[in-house]
Amino acid sequence: DAGVIQSPRHEVTEMGQEVTLRCKPISGHNSLFWYRQTMMRGLELLIYFNNNVPIDDSGMPEDRFSAKMPNASFSTLKIQPSEPRDSAVYFCASTSQGGSTDTQYFGPGTRLTVL
Amino acid sequence: GDSVTQMEGPVTLSEEACLTINCTYTATGYPSLFWYVQYPGEGLQLLLKATKADDKGSNKGFEATYRKETTSFHLEKGSVQVSDSAVYFCALSNAGNMLTFGGGTRLMVKP
């Protein structure tokens, strides 16, 4: 299995631009998570989906952030408009079954820099 | 709500030294406990886990025992290697598959 796939791996953009991050979970997994990692705030859960339905988006910072999961094999995290404080590494993770004992499998992350 | 507290780093050790990274948690019910490791430039990956009290998780020479009486899940290794240099995250999962992470502990192992 290829693991969780994220694209792009690196993104540099200017303030005000729209940014779209993409994630392909492991085939057969039915839960997907988006995290943000910064030095100041550590690892934060932004949103998670179960069977393509958003279950908890309380971690989404503000209306500039939105996430979709149109099907079981693809999800996007969009920031519009982007700001310099959005600079971070964004991780996608997936898991199966949905139980508390399950392992989350992380992608390699997208390093976002907003100038 | 649930929370995880782990020792702040960085932890700097010489090769072959013993390692302990402390982790304590606060949670209702009976959470599952995890240690994830993040190598430079990579995503997190599971190192080990324990799903009930007194269980011991182990992998790659690392061990951690689920201690319900002290609400702890300390990570230990008897002899670290340079290749163990990474950031280690303690986490719990409670009644679902959302993870609550600690702040991470950076380990630096010098030759």
Side-chain angles (χ1 to χ4, degrees):
Chain A
D1 198 317
V4 176
I5 299 172
Q6 292 187 247
S7 65
R9 293 294 310 275
H10 302 273
E11 177 80 30
V12 180
T13 190
E14 293 189 346
M15 182 174 64
Q17 297 298 306
E18 177 180 299
V19 175
T20 299
L21 311 181
R22 297 173 176 80
C23 175
K24 177 178 169 54
I26 292 173
S27 177
H29 283 189
N30 58 2
S31 294
L32 183 141
F33 305 80
W34 282 101
Y35 293 90
R36 178 172 67 176
Q37 186 178 39
T38 62
M39 290 292 291
M40 292 298 293
R41 301 172 70 92
L43 197 62
E44 304 172 276
L45 175 66
L46 300 178
I47 186 171
Y48 99 90
F49 295 85
N50 201 34
N51 294 321
N52 312 336
V53 176
I55 302 300
D56 186 340
D57 66 353
S58 59
M60 295 286 264
E62 49 200 270
D63 292 345
R64 298 184 297 106
F65 285 68
S66 62
K68 294 182 179 179
M69 192 165 186
N71 57 62
S73 59
F74 184 65
S75 177
T76 59
L77 178 67
K78 183 179 294 186
I79 308 172
Q80 165 65 16
S82 59
E83 297 183 2
R85 61 193 168 119
D86 302 330
S87 297
V89 181
Y90 291 82
F91 290 103
C92 176
S94 70
T95 189
S96 63
Q97 305 297 327
S100 63
T101 62
D102 295 321
T103 301
Q104 286 190 19
Y105 294 85
F106 283 73
T110 295
R111 181 174 295 277
L112 173 65
T113 302
V114 183
L115 303 175
Chain B
D2 298 344
S3 66
V4 176
T5 302
Q6 59 183 108
M7 59 190 292
E8 291 191 19
V11 174
T12 303
L13 297 173
S14 297
E15 206 165 23
E16 299 184 4
C18 295
L19 169 71
T20 299
I21 300 178
N22 291 334
C23 171
T24 57
Y25 67 90
T26 300
T28 57
Y30 303 94
S32 295
L33 302 175
F34 304 80
W35 277 101
Y36 281 80
V37 59
Q38 184 179 28
Y39 298 103
E42 298 183 11
L44 282 70
Q45 56 185 273
L46 180 69
L47 180 60
L48 53 84
K49 68 179 180 182
T51 60
K52 61 183 187 296
D54 300 325
D55 268 3
K56 177 186 286 188
S58 61
N59 186 25
K60 300 181 181 179
F62 291 88
E63 294 182 339
T65 301
Y66 189 143
R67 301 286 189 197
K68 189 166 177 61
E69 64 275 14
T70 55
T71 62
S72 65
F73 193 54
H74 305 322
L75 183 67
E76 299 176 326
K77 187 174 186 182
S79 175
V80 294
Q81 306 300 312
V82 172
S83 57
D84 294 326
S85 298
V87 180
Y88 292 82
F89 293 88
C90 186
L92 69 82
S93 181
N94 202 1
N97 57 2
M98 289 176 60
L99 285 171
T100 300
F101 284 96
T105 302
R106 182 176 300 276
L107 170 66
M108 299 170 57
V109 181
K110 297 184 176 181

